[in-house]
Amino acid sequence: MLSAGLALLLSGGRSSSEVMPKDDSLNALAKKRGRFFGTAVRTDKIWNDPAYRTAVIGECGSITPEVALKWDFVEPQEGELTFDPMNSIMGFAEANDLDVHGHTLLWYNSMPPWAARKILETRDWTIINNHFANVLRTYKGKIKYWDVINEPIEAGKRWDGLRDGVMLQAFGPDYIDHALRSARIYAPDAKLMINDFGFEYDTYDENDRRWLLLRLVEKLKKAGAPLDGIGLQAHLDLAKGSLASKKIADFLVELRNFGVKIIISELDVKEYDYALPAEQRDQRVADHAKQYLEVVLAEPAVIGLTCWGLTDRYSWLDATDGDYKRLRGPREQTGLNRGLPYDANYGRKPLYYTIRNALNA
Ligand code: G3I
C-alpha cells in the first residue's frame, strides 16, 4: 500500500481529470476575504480514494494532518522516527498548491508512553527540545502555522484551568511558555499557536473555558511568550443547545485585543438524533453551523476556517465505529454522523452551501 501511495504521490497525487476549477472553490471564496479554507486529512485516504483527493484539491487551500504529525505517530518508540506518511502529505500539498497546518507538537492525548514515562522520571526538558527539533527542523520553512500546544485547558479542576497531565506534573504551569519559546528556536519564522475546544455554548463549563483561555493568553502575552495565534476547534454539538453568539463574539474581540490571530481549526457538527430523515438532519446541522459561522466570520482576527474532514465518510464522529460507540451514552443512537460539508458519497449537503455563503458574506 505504501509503495502504491508513494507512486501516486510522486505524481503529485492527482490526475488532471480529478481537479475541479480552483476559482470556484471554498478556498477561492475565503481568499477574496483574505482568509483560507482547509480540511483535516487522512494519509491513507489521500492514497486510496480518488474522490477524496478531488474534493480536497478542489476545495481547499490548506490541509491539516489528522494524525500524521502527532508525537505518538512520528516517534512511537524513542528515536524511531516515522516521517514517511507526513512526507507524503507534504508532497501532495506541494504538488497541489496547498498549505500545511502543523498539528500538533504537544497533546496530552498523543504523547507516546515512553516519553510520558521518561518526562515524569527525569523532568528533563531536553526530551521536549529533541522532539521539537526532530519535527520542526524536518518541516522548517514548509509549515507556517504550528499548534504547539493542543488542549491545555480543563475547567473545574485547578484555579488556573490548566489540564493536569504529564507536562504540568513534570514542569509546572510554565510549561506552555517554555514550549512556545523552544518551538520558536527551531521554527523562527512560523506562527505559533495554542489550539483548544469548548468555547461555543452557554454552559457552566464553556463559560469557564472561555475565561480560562483568555487568562492563559493574557499571562503568556505579558510574559513575552511567542504566541501568535489561537485555534478554536469548534466541534459543534447539537445536543448542547443554542450557541452563545454574543459571548463568542466578545470572546473573539478579547482574543484579538491580545494581538493573536484566530483560526477556526476543526469545525464539524455532532448530531444526537440519527433517526430523523436525512434532509431534516442536514438542515439542523447547517442551521447550527450558520449561526456559528455568522459570528466568527464577522471577526477580522479570524484568518481561516478548517473543517475536521470534508466528507462524512471519514469523520472522527462516525458513531458506527466500535471505539466511538463506547464514547456515547447508552441512550444515544449510533449511526453515520452527518456533520461535514460532503456526505459519504461526496454529495454537497446544506452545510456545504452554508459554509460557502458564510465565507462569501
Ligand atoms: O487508520 C487506522 C486503521 O488502519 C486501523 O484499523 C484503526 C484501528 O483502530 O485505526 C486507524 O487509525 C485511527 C485514526 O484515528 C484514523 O484516522 C487511530 O486508531 C485513532 O487513534 C485516530 O484518532 C484520531 C485522534 O485524533 C487521535 O489521534 C482521530 O482520527 C482524529 O480525528 C482526532 O483528532 C482530534 C484532534 O487531533 C484534536 N482535537 C480533537 C480531534 C477529535 O478527537
Side-chain angles (χ1 to χ4, degrees):
M1 188 172 89
L2 180 69
S3 55
L6 285 177
L8 167 70
L9 287 153
L10 283 175
S11 71
R14 65 176 172 180
S15 69
S16 55
S17 59
E18 281 178 2
V19 185
M20 296 187 295
K22 277 249 180 188
D23 54 1
D24 193 37
S25 67
L26 293 175
N27 185 58
L29 285 179
K31 225 171 159 181
K32 284 188 192 156
R33 305 280 185 271
R35 295 184 164 119
F36 65 83
F37 175 81
T39 181
V41 290
R42 297 185 178 177
T43 325
D44 55 331
K45 308 308 173 199
I46 292 175
W47 292 342
N48 299 331
D49 184 343
Y52 181 75
R53 285 198 301 280
T54 304
V56 174
I57 296 166
E59 299 292 1
C60 298
S62 166
I63 55 175
T64 304
E66 199 168 333
V67 173
L69 265 178
K70 289 171 180 167
W71 195 356
D72 56 355
F73 191 86
V74 297
E75 197 177 8
Q77 302 300 329
E78 189 173 6
E80 270 180 32
L81 295 172
T82 309
F83 284 124
D84 280 355
M86 187 57 215
N87 289 341
S88 75
I89 290 182
M90 289 300 312
F92 171 75
E94 280 163 11
N96 294 294
D97 199 19
L98 303 167
D99 292 334
V100 175
H101 185 100
H103 177 78
T104 167
L105 289 172
L106 284 178
W107 184 25
Y108 74 94
N109 208 18
S110 67
M111 182 179 279
W114 68 262
R117 222 171 20 246
K118 203 169 165 187
I119 289 168
L120 287 172
E121 265 168 31
T122 65
R123 300 181 182 217
D124 183 356
W125 192 261
T126 316
I127 303 162
I128 305 300
N129 269 339
N130 286 345
H131 167 50
F132 283 17
N134 286 337
V135 177
L136 294 175
R137 280 191 182 138
T138 302
Y139 299 108
K140 195 167 177 195
K142 294 184 169 182
I143 294 184
K144 185 170 166 196
Y145 294 97
W146 278 101
D147 295 335
V148 178
I149 314 278
N150 196 45
E151 302 178 4
I153 300 288
E154 186 178 27
K157 298 272 167 67
R158 291 166 50 94
W159 68 271
D160 60 4
L162 292 187
R163 184 182 294 281
D164 188 15
V166 169
M167 293 298 290
L168 187 87
Q169 285 165 27
F171 303 117
D174 285 337
Y175 84 88
I176 297 176
D177 185 310
H178 295 158
L180 289 164
R181 290 176 202 270
S182 290
R184 175 56 80 229
I185 294 170
Y186 302 108
D189 303 321
K191 301 291 180 198
L192 305 181
M193 322 253 317
I194 291 174
N195 188 49
D196 213 327
F197 66 91
F199 307 111
E200 293 83 30
Y201 296 92
D202 201 358
T203 60
Y204 185 80
D205 181 63
E206 299 209 1
N207 287 329
D208 220 14
R209 292 182 59 84
R210 283 187 289 273
W211 190 84
L212 290 166
L213 181 70
L214 290 171
R215 299 292 70 80
L216 175 62
V217 173
E218 182 177 41
K219 184 178 163 208
L220 290 165
K221 282 294 187 182
K222 268 192 188 151
L227 174 68
D228 301 300
I230 295 294
L232 303 176
Q233 295 184 7
H235 292 294
L236 305 183
D237 187 339
L238 294 182
K240 288 189 179 170
S242 307
L243 290 152
S245 295
K246 172 78 171 75
K247 289 183 176 180
I248 298 172
D250 293 347
F251 170 63
L252 298 178
V253 171
E254 289 201 59
L255 283 175
R256 187 213 314 151
N257 289 340
F258 288 129
V260 290
K261 297 293 184 202
I262 300 163
I263 295 175
I264 308 304
S265 55
E266 305 189 9
L267 179 75
D268 55 16
V269 185
K270 184 181 169 200
E271 298 178 274
Y272 68 88
D273 191 346
Y274 296 101
L276 293 172
E279 305 80 68
Q280 217 171 315
R281 290 170 58 188
D282 290 350
Q283 202 53 52
R284 281 188 178 188
V285 164
D287 290 347
H288 199 67
K290 180 170 185 270
Q291 203 191 328
Y292 181 71
L293 291 173
E294 276 172 2
V295 178
V296 296
L297 295 179
E299 168 52 55
V302 172
I303 58 171
L305 167 64
T306 290
C307 288
W308 208 239
L310 271 186
T311 160
D312 297 334
R313 182 179 284 235
Y314 311 125
S315 165
W316 75 291
L317 292 171
D318 173 2
T320 57
D321 170 74
D323 276 352
Y324 191 67
K325 249 187 239 173
R326 222 172 356 94
L327 296 176
R328 301 174 78 87
R331 282 172 30 242
E332 287 185 274
Q333 304 142 359
T334 56
L336 194 68
N337 197 78
R338 297 179 66 91
L340 289 170
Y342 283 82
D343 70 16
N345 297 314
Y346 297 96
R348 290 172 173 174
K349 296 188 305 177
L351 178 59
Y352 174 88
Y353 295 101
T354 291
I355 292 173
R356 221 182 150 77
N357 294 338
L359 288 171
N360 209 16

